[in-house]
Amino acid sequence: MPHNYGLALLITLFAGLATAIGSIFAFMVKKDNLKALSVGLGFSAGVMIFLSFTDILPAASEMLSERFPTNHKWVVYGGFIIGILIAVLIDYFIPDHIDEKELMNPDVVSADKRMQRAGLFTAAAIFVHNFPEGMATFLTASHDLTLGLSVGLAIAIHNIPEGIAVALPIYHSTGKKRYATLYAALSGISEPIGAILGMILLHFFMPQLMIGVAMAAVAGIMIYISFDTLLPLAREFGNWHLSMVGIISGMLFIWVSLLLMP
């Protein structure tokens, strides 16, 4: 809906710039005490998984049922697969370059140049990976503002460790906090750029029919991110029990928030 465009852009901007918050954690959190991130990553995965299966896919099915009254569920299924394939292709051609061992113990890389290069490569890779997330957040928020806020929150939480992955090696190699924060923020700026492209497509080019398919694809992207990136990193930073605490907490939190919202 057009009147949601401004708020949808703001939500996406907030989610993207959460990478800058991650740079602050990189300066404050001890290298060997990242267990809080394990819970946070699990929380984000729990929110995204819950929203995908209980809100986004049903909303897509409802939108498509008017045009495809007998087989709309298969169209939703196809859109979901398209979203997963998009995420797989991005992962295949542009690996995320996040080395969890270096993130946990950045001192193991002795050469400053190598550390700085690792941070810059990570920033570039995250920039590309965040682009479809920005489109997904915008498309969701423009259709359903309440759902978009929830998606934006989940994206923002999982962008924090991405900001850490960028800022930590750059900070340790240069000693400059501003430099590290700048690159962490730039790695997330692709999300509002993706939102602007999503707004152009939605307003000028995308038929109403395709919005339902795009919503299903958003769910596919979020599910892939949860199982391919968030949950493995959550276990890496802490342990499986901490990850489960985060997952269950995320699901219960977002469930209650949806019940309380009109």
Side-chain angles (χ1 to χ4, degrees):
M1 296 180 184
H3 62 271
N4 280 345
Y5 282 5
L7 289 173
L9 285 171
L10 286 176
I11 292 170
T12 310
L13 178 64
F14 165 75
L17 293 183
T19 52
I21 299 175
S23 69
I24 298 173
F25 275 92
F27 311 142
M28 297 173 58
V29 179
K30 294 181 180 179
K31 299 191 297 291
D32 57 350
N33 187 25
L34 297 178
K35 291 183 178 180
L37 284 177
S38 176
V39 178
L41 286 164
F43 184 93
S44 179
V47 169
M48 293 172 76
I49 293 169
F50 184 90
L51 285 175
S52 295
F53 287 118
T54 65
D55 277 271
I56 297 178
L57 289 175
S61 182
E62 183 178 350
M63 291 179 67
L64 291 167
S65 62
E66 297 180 6
R67 183 68 180 269
F68 303 97
T70 58
N71 56 0
H72 60 276
K73 293 182 179 179
W74 283 105
V75 180
V76 173
Y77 179 79
F80 183 80
I81 296 298
I82 289 172
I84 291 178
L85 289 177
I86 290 172
V88 169
L89 287 173
I90 292 174
D91 252 357
Y92 179 79
F93 289 107
I94 307 175
D96 56 23
H97 292 285
I98 297 175
D99 188 330
E100 293 88 352
K101 291 183 179 179
E102 289 184 13
L103 183 57
M104 294 292 291
N105 300 290
D107 292 335
V108 301
V109 182
S110 57
D112 288 346
K113 291 290 184 182
R114 289 178 60 197
M115 290 189 71
Q116 185 175 355
R117 184 172 179 271
L120 294 176
F121 268 114
T122 300
I126 289 174
F127 182 91
V128 176
H129 278 253
N130 283 348
F131 189 81
E133 291 179 9
M135 289 190 68
T137 305
F138 177 82
L139 288 172
T140 305
S142 62
H143 172 69
D144 185 331
L145 191 57
T146 300
L147 189 57
L149 283 168
S150 301
V151 171
L153 174 63
I155 296 292
I157 291 172
H158 104 254
N159 277 351
I160 290 175
E162 290 184 351
I164 293 175
V166 173
L168 203 55
I170 292 177
Y171 175 59
H172 276 263
S173 62
T174 65
K176 297 179 180 179
K177 292 183 179 180
R178 291 183 180 179
Y179 191 47
T181 302
L182 174 64
Y183 276 95
L186 288 176
S187 70
I189 203 67
S190 60
E191 295 210 6
I193 294 174
I196 292 172
L197 178 60
M199 180 177 65
I200 294 172
L201 290 173
L202 189 63
H203 191 67
F204 295 106
F205 299 106
M206 189 177 290
Q208 194 71 18
L209 166 67
M210 292 302 297
I211 298 176
V213 178
M215 291 280 287
V218 165
I221 292 171
M222 289 173 62
I223 291 297
Y224 183 88
I225 291 170
S226 297
F227 285 99
D228 179 70
T229 302
L230 300 184
L231 294 180
L233 282 177
R235 188 169 184 177
E236 184 76 24
F237 291 147
N239 56 55
W240 188 238
H241 293 293
L242 286 174
S243 305
M244 285 301 300
V245 169
I247 294 168
I248 300 301
S249 298
M251 289 182 173
L252 294 177
F253 172 82
I254 203 64
W255 193 352
V256 170
S257 67
L258 291 174
L259 290 173
L260 293 176
M261 290 181 182

